[in-house]
Amino acid sequence: DQQVKQNSPSLSVQEGRISILNCDYTNSMFDYFLWYKKYPAEGPTFLISISSIKDKNEDGRFTVFLNKSAKHLSLHIVPSQPGDSAVYFCAASSSGGGADGLTFGKGTHLIIQP
Amino acid sequence: NAGVTQTPKFQVLKTGQSMTLQCAQDMNHNSMYWYRQDPGMGLRLIYYSASEGTTDKGEVPNGYNVSRLNKREFSLRLESAAPSQTSVYFCASSPVRGVVGNTIYFGEGSWLTVV
């Protein structure tokens, strides 16, 4: 059973517009959420994170929103740029132990069109 | 600044052959991980090592063994490779385990094909 879900395998956005990537989770024990960006033939790189005590975290063009009651988070990229074209993975972890590392979603392929 | 380095980058194996993927990190991290990525499946945890001297199974450990050689190095071994193990393998590390704010850093990946 998937605990972290990214229901959109791909998303196409025009350059300059806002990109919104969505992620849902089912495990109530998750208390830390991250977004990773991955280019082809490279490893995932950390983009932005949010703790469950917050509902928003901003870093330049990237903002992550967390809705704990809905078990939903989203990544907003404004404005979208060609270099943002990549696969974005949502990930979650719990500080209470259990299976370690991060639990990842299947990824969303973001395509920025000129 | 190397970060997480894994070798080899590409490997083709015949069914039944064995091989070891090597990983080293230079960030003085305590925890290390091996993930695999398959099309449409995201990243799945194979094994992890919370600290030097300890290893634990992740989500998909069958067919693999690991060794935490020292704080820097964490290897993944396929004893008898199977076509189902064709995948991209990522080694990763993080400062601590199970702590809010823990960020995992990944290597560049190893592409393994089993024929």
Side-chain angles (χ1 to χ4, degrees):
Chain A
D1 185 33
Q2 250 194 306
Q3 297 187 68
V4 177
K5 300 178 185 178
Q6 294 176 257
N7 292 320
S8 298
S10 65
L11 175 67
S12 183
V13 175
Q14 270 200 312
E15 182 179 356
R17 303 254 180 168
I18 183 171
S19 295
I20 300 177
L21 293 89
N22 293 305
C23 178
D24 297 292
Y25 63 96
T26 58
N27 188 339
S28 300
M29 297 299 291
F30 288 146
D31 55 11
Y32 186 58
F33 304 89
L34 308 89
W35 285 93
Y36 280 81
K37 178 178 179 179
K38 185 182 180 304
Y39 292 119
E42 294 184 9
T45 55
F46 171 72
L47 189 59
I48 192 170
S49 63
I50 188 167
S51 165
S52 60
I53 62 173
K54 294 185 174 182
D55 55 18
K56 176 183 175 181
N57 188 27
E58 205 168 344
D59 183 1
R61 297 187 297 113
F62 303 92
T63 303
V64 56
F65 295 91
L66 175 62
N67 182 334
K68 281 180 60 180
S69 61
K71 293 190 177 68
H72 177 82
L73 63 154
S74 60
L75 174 67
H76 292 211
I77 306 173
V78 185
S80 301
Q81 298 175 353
D84 296 330
S85 294
V87 177
Y88 290 79
F89 290 100
C90 172
S93 71
S94 63
S95 56
D100 209 353
L102 297 172
T103 301
F104 284 84
K106 294 183 177 182
T108 297
H109 185 193
L110 176 64
I111 302 161
I112 305 301
Q113 294 182 334
Chain B
N1 198 1
V4 179
T5 304
Q6 50 182 113
T7 57
K9 194 163 180 73
F10 300 98
Q11 183 74 48
V12 178
L13 283 178
K14 292 183 179 178
T15 297
Q17 284 186 319
S18 63
M19 77 157 297
T20 300
L21 297 174
Q22 307 286 354
C23 175
Q25 51 91 9
D26 62 2
M27 297 176 281
N28 201 34
H29 286 171
N30 288 314
S31 300
M32 297 186 73
Y33 313 83
W34 277 104
Y35 285 86
R36 61 179 286 176
Q37 185 193 10
D38 301 294
M41 294 296 291
L43 289 140
R44 293 182 293 169
L45 183 64
I46 305 171
Y47 269 93
Y48 67 96
S49 170
S51 60
E52 185 179 354
T54 69
T55 61
D56 286 284
K57 295 178 180 179
E59 182 185 353
V60 288
N62 291 344
Y64 305 95
N65 286 302
V66 290
S67 295
R68 183 74 183 267
L69 304 170
N70 48 55
K71 190 171 186 180
R72 289 187 65 247
E73 298 173 290
F74 187 39
S75 63
L76 178 73
R77 182 161 179 84
L78 288 70
E79 290 291 352
S80 179
S84 61
Q85 294 178 303
T86 294
S87 188
V88 184
Y89 292 85
F90 291 99
C91 179
S93 69
S94 65
V96 293
R97 166 187 180 259
V99 173
V100 175
N102 193 21
T103 299
I104 291 181
Y105 298 88
F106 286 85
E108 293 192 342
S110 296
W111 274 253
L112 177 64
T113 301
V114 183
V115 297

